Amino acid sequence: MSLIRQSGHSLAWQIGGFLAMAVSGMVTARWLGPADRGLLAAVYLYLQLASSLGTLSLTGAIFHRLGQRERTLEEFAGTLAWASAGLGVAALGLTLALLRSGGDSWHRGIPWSILVLALLPLPCLFAMTYFSTLLRGVMDIRWYNLSNHGPKLLSLGVVLALAAVGRLRVWDLVVLGTASTIVTGVIPAWRMRRYAPRPWRFRSDLLRL
């Protein structure tokens, strides 16, 4: 595929993802009341903060080390699989510990069950970020775009489906959002098996600065 076609496909995915998020936001805002909209926004704010802090700009380092061609793709994939699990669980535990130690003032009005459920797929969110970067590194732009923007289209589908059956509520959105994050986190790792078919191996030096 030529660079022009790749750029065109990437632009189309970006526009589609933006429109999907815009429509999802409008439908959710129209359906939910002000209190539930604020609750949903606060829940996903914590999720975004935890995922942003957890990546620690590792995606840029992945792309850089991949370009040096000092390690095999199996070593990159194995290391990032362990990193996704380890950093994801660590970020999950740290976030929950901080919120719990801060008391109700840190999560006032947010049921603890909803907060825990929304944060549970953090390892899968890390996996989606890391493995989509690997797909970009091996120039699988189609699946890279699918990994990055597909979840936004899936989110729109979830919102419209819940609205159609009259169950567009915070709890239902969080439950299906968690399930979709788990699915979209596994897909880029599954796709990477095409480029790294041999057993994956962990290499700690890939995580060193």
Side-chain angles (χ1 to χ4, degrees):
M1 184 183 296
S2 68
L3 290 176
I4 294 178
R5 290 186 63 187
Q6 285 184 352
S7 300
H9 287 172
S10 296
L11 179 61
W13 273 105
Q14 290 173 6
I15 294 174
F18 172 78
L19 291 176
M21 292 299 291
V23 174
S24 297
M26 288 188 291
V27 173
T28 303
R30 186 177 181 85
W31 194 278
L32 299 177
D36 284 342
R37 288 201 304 270
L39 172 60
L40 190 64
V43 167
Y44 283 103
L45 174 63
Y46 287 122
L47 179 62
Q48 289 300 319
L49 285 174
S51 62
S52 298
L53 293 173
T55 54
L56 299 174
S57 300
L58 190 56
T59 54
I62 294 168
F63 206 66
H64 173 70
R65 295 294 296 273
L66 190 61
Q68 294 178 337
R69 301 183 183 276
E70 296 176 348
R71 293 292 185 181
T72 65
L73 290 176
E74 284 80 7
E75 289 171 328
F76 273 98
T79 302
L80 293 178
W82 279 100
S84 301
L87 292 176
V89 171
L92 172 62
L94 179 61
T95 303
L96 292 178
L98 288 174
L99 290 174
R100 176 66 77 179
S101 65
D104 291 340
S105 60
W106 284 33
H107 54 89
R108 187 182 303 276
I110 306 177
W112 189 249
S113 57
I114 289 180
L115 195 56
V116 172
L117 182 62
L119 291 171
L120 274 180
L122 269 173
C124 294
L125 201 56
F126 286 8
M128 180 179 67
T129 302
Y130 299 155
F131 280 95
S132 65
T133 302
L134 273 185
L135 291 175
R136 182 186 175 197
V138 298
M139 296 305 293
D140 193 339
I141 303 301
R142 179 177 300 174
W143 279 84
Y144 167 75
N145 286 323
L146 178 63
S147 300
N148 278 274
H149 304 292
K152 301 171 187 175
L153 300 175
L154 181 60
S155 175
L156 174 60
V158 168
V159 168
L160 293 179
L162 288 175
V165 298
R167 292 184 59 88
L168 190 58
R169 299 179 299 216
V170 172
W171 177 257
D172 298 290
L173 285 170
V174 172
V175 169
L176 291 181
T178 297
S180 64
T181 301
I182 293 172
V183 171
T184 54
V186 171
I187 287 175
W190 166 80
R191 177 65 176 179
M192 198 61 207
R193 293 296 303 181
R194 176 178 180 179
Y195 302 98
R198 292 175 296 176
W200 291 0
R201 297 183 296 277
F202 175 77
R203 296 294 184 185
S204 61
D205 60 291
L206 286 175
L207 299 177
R208 296 172 189 163
L209 297 176

